[in-house]
Amino acid sequence: MGVGERIRHCRRAGGYTQRGLAEEIGVTESAIRNYELGLRTPGEFQLKAIARALDVAPESLADVGPESARGALEMVFRLEGEMGFRPVETEGGICIAIDPKAEGSQKISQALRAWKRMRERLEAGEVSEEEYEAWKASFKGW
């Protein structure tokens, strides 16, 4: 899903029309339409304004992440140094653990615990898929 598709999804989930969102952030309706169609990409300032209006994290709208397994591995390599990620082998396979002594590890650990709790609520049927996706988009646990 691209930036435009994520904007459209969050806009609709937030009950905005294209015109309403445009008015909220001070751009034209056609700008929002072009973003959603992928004809234009919002700049950082516009993306932050859209996220603020939709009450979601800007990162939930932006293109982030790898395009390949190697790209994903590169992200993990970088997180090893920045957040203390470590590979751990379990009976179920390979997973990633966080070194509690690493700088920054407390915040990521708290965020992952919050994610685990919400994921468990989804699997237990306590929240819908839409509520779960909205929670992820609006999570600002830092």
Side-chain angles (χ1 to χ4, degrees):
M1 185 181 296
V3 173
E5 293 168 302
R6 286 189 292 276
I7 291 171
R8 178 182 297 121
H9 175 80
C10 291
R11 175 183 58 77
R12 288 178 174 168
Y16 277 94
T17 62
Q18 288 179 338
R19 176 176 292 176
L21 179 57
E23 289 173 357
E24 179 78 20
I25 67 167
V27 299
T28 64
E29 182 178 354
S30 66
I32 298 297
R33 185 174 28 264
N34 287 332
Y35 295 155
E36 290 185 2
L37 291 172
L39 301 175
R40 290 184 57 209
T41 303
E44 184 178 346
F45 178 79
Q46 288 89 2
L47 196 65
K48 286 181 178 181
I50 292 168
R52 201 171 26 257
L54 299 175
D55 195 28
V56 298
E59 296 85 356
S60 71
L61 299 176
D63 280 332
V64 295
E67 297 296 321
S68 65
R70 178 59 180 91
L73 190 57
E74 184 60 35
M75 290 182 73
V76 173
F77 288 162
R78 292 177 188 191
L79 290 170
E80 175 183 18
E82 295 173 19
M83 303 263 174
F85 279 29
R86 301 287 185 267
V88 176
E89 191 158 3
T90 67
E91 290 180 22
I94 298 288
C95 60
I96 297 172
I98 299 171
D99 180 354
K101 298 176 196 146
E103 188 174 329
S105 66
Q106 293 75 24
K107 287 183 180 182
I108 190 71
S109 293
Q110 289 171 354
L112 289 171
R113 283 187 190 96
W115 176 35
K116 179 182 180 293
R117 286 190 300 272
M118 184 55 83
R119 181 73 196 181
E120 288 169 346
R121 291 185 65 203
L122 172 69
E123 291 169 358
E126 296 173 12
V127 297
S128 68
E129 186 72 34
E130 293 79 23
E131 290 169 318
Y132 177 66
E133 292 299 324
W135 176 86
K136 290 192 303 184
S138 64
F139 185 75
K140 299 174 185 139
W142 309 101

